Amino acid sequence: DTGVSQDPRHKITKRGQNVTFRCDPISEHNRLYWYRQTLGQGPEFLTYFQNEAQLEKSRLLSDRFSAERPKGSFSTLEIQRTEQGDSAMYLCASSSRFGGLSAEAFFGQGTRLTVV
Amino acid sequence: GENVEQHPSTLSVQEGDSAVIKCTYSDSASNYFPWYKQELGKRPQLIIDIRSNVGEKKDQRIAVTLNKTAKHFSLHITETQPEDSAVYFCAARLSGGSQGNLIFGKGTKLSVKP
């Protein structure tokens, strides 16, 4: 499968626990994005990487959230001390350096987080 | 920052009819406007996009129009089919600097009745 892959697909955790999600972008895509989507809403931007550099962070990304892309390939999103309001689908997307900022963003299947 | 408004939130049409979904954006620096289709439980998938230097783009039964002056863009689906039923999201991306993210509308749930 050459698409964007995310792991795990589903995660149930107790409030207060830490969780980490992984995203593997399409090979050679240098741009990687994290979004959060709740039921009935559009994806909300969280953060954006170009290669290993985190160039943009949304105000939605509180101190409990951190994202990394250490080698410019896969990325991880960690949520510390999870709260029930963190329950959502976390989507990763990637795009090529070709086409500039209008390059298509391809989404992964997402990780559905449920905080109980 | 950028804000994208999308209307209507739900749309029901008869098979064969046309469907139109409209979006407005707030930041005139936005220069890229994709439309995504998301079926239940699946990932958003790009169906068509338009850049700010183009006023209209068509791909078979799907077309997108952009009015930069009014800061709005629309998705047009003709000859709708039941498999067009899904949630459609418009989005806008700012140009310049390190801006890379897409700002999405809240989505339109399209139902095509056979």
Side-chain angles (χ1 to χ4, degrees):
Chain A
D1 185 357
T2 56
V4 178
S5 63
Q6 293 187 244
D7 182 70
R9 293 288 305 280
H10 304 274
K11 178 70 176 178
I12 299 174
T13 190
K14 291 184 178 179
R15 188 161 48 98
Q17 297 294 304
N18 299 343
V19 294
T20 300
F21 311 141
R22 177 180 170 124
C23 171
D24 287 89
I26 292 173
S27 180
E28 297 180 356
H29 275 192
N30 70 331
R31 297 191 176 102
L32 186 146
Y33 316 82
W34 284 99
Y35 288 85
R36 179 173 67 188
Q37 187 176 27
T38 53
L39 198 62
Q41 300 294 316
E44 295 175 298
F45 170 74
L46 293 178
T47 191
Y48 158 58
F49 289 86
Q50 185 166 307
N51 300 311
E52 66 275 8
Q54 190 173 20
L55 295 186
E56 221 177 328
K57 289 172 63 173
S58 165
R59 282 171 289 182
L60 292 174
L61 213 66
S62 75
D63 292 345
R64 298 184 297 106
F65 288 70
S66 62
E68 294 182 343
R69 195 183 183 199
K71 297 182 180 179
S73 56
F74 74 91
S75 175
T76 57
L77 177 69
E78 181 182 18
I79 309 174
Q80 296 182 326
R81 304 181 303 281
T82 52
E83 301 172 357
Q84 285 189 320
D86 297 332
S87 296
M89 176 73 83
Y90 289 84
L91 291 165
C92 177
S94 70
S95 66
S96 169
R97 62 182 176 273
F98 301 112
L101 288 176
S102 59
E104 177 181 352
F106 292 84
F107 281 87
Q109 295 274 34
T111 294
R112 182 168 293 286
L113 173 66
T114 303
V115 181
V116 297
Chain B
E2 176 66 284
N3 183 47
V4 176
E5 299 282 342
Q6 182 171 349
H7 300 280
S9 56
T10 60
L11 179 60
S12 182
V13 299
Q14 207 66 35
E15 182 178 1
D17 288 350
S18 295
V20 180
I21 302 170
K22 299 181 179 182
C23 287
T24 59
Y25 60 98
S26 59
D27 197 321
S28 56
S30 294
N31 69 345
Y32 174 63
F33 308 91
W35 286 88
Y36 282 82
K37 175 183 180 182
Q38 188 174 29
E39 296 176 19
L40 192 63
K42 296 191 176 181
R43 73 187 80 191
Q45 292 193 299
L46 182 75
I47 54 171
I48 194 166
D49 56 13
I50 191 167
R51 302 181 188 188
S52 58
N53 59 348
V54 175
E56 184 174 356
K57 184 177 178 181
K58 191 173 181 180
D59 182 4
Q60 299 182 352
R61 297 186 297 108
I62 295 173
V64 57
T65 58
L66 171 65
N67 183 326
K68 285 182 62 179
T69 303
K71 291 190 284 188
H72 69 69
F73 56 113
S74 300
L75 178 71
H76 304 253
I77 306 174
T78 58
E79 300 169 25
T80 53
Q81 300 166 3
E83 51 265 37
D84 293 330
S85 296
V87 179
Y88 291 81
F89 294 99
C90 63
R93 175 180 278 155
L94 291 170
S95 65
S98 63
Q99 298 286 355
N101 75 86
L102 290 168
I103 304 298
F104 283 83
K106 293 188 182 299
T108 297
K109 184 176 181 180
L110 174 65
S111 301
V112 180
K113 298 180 179 179

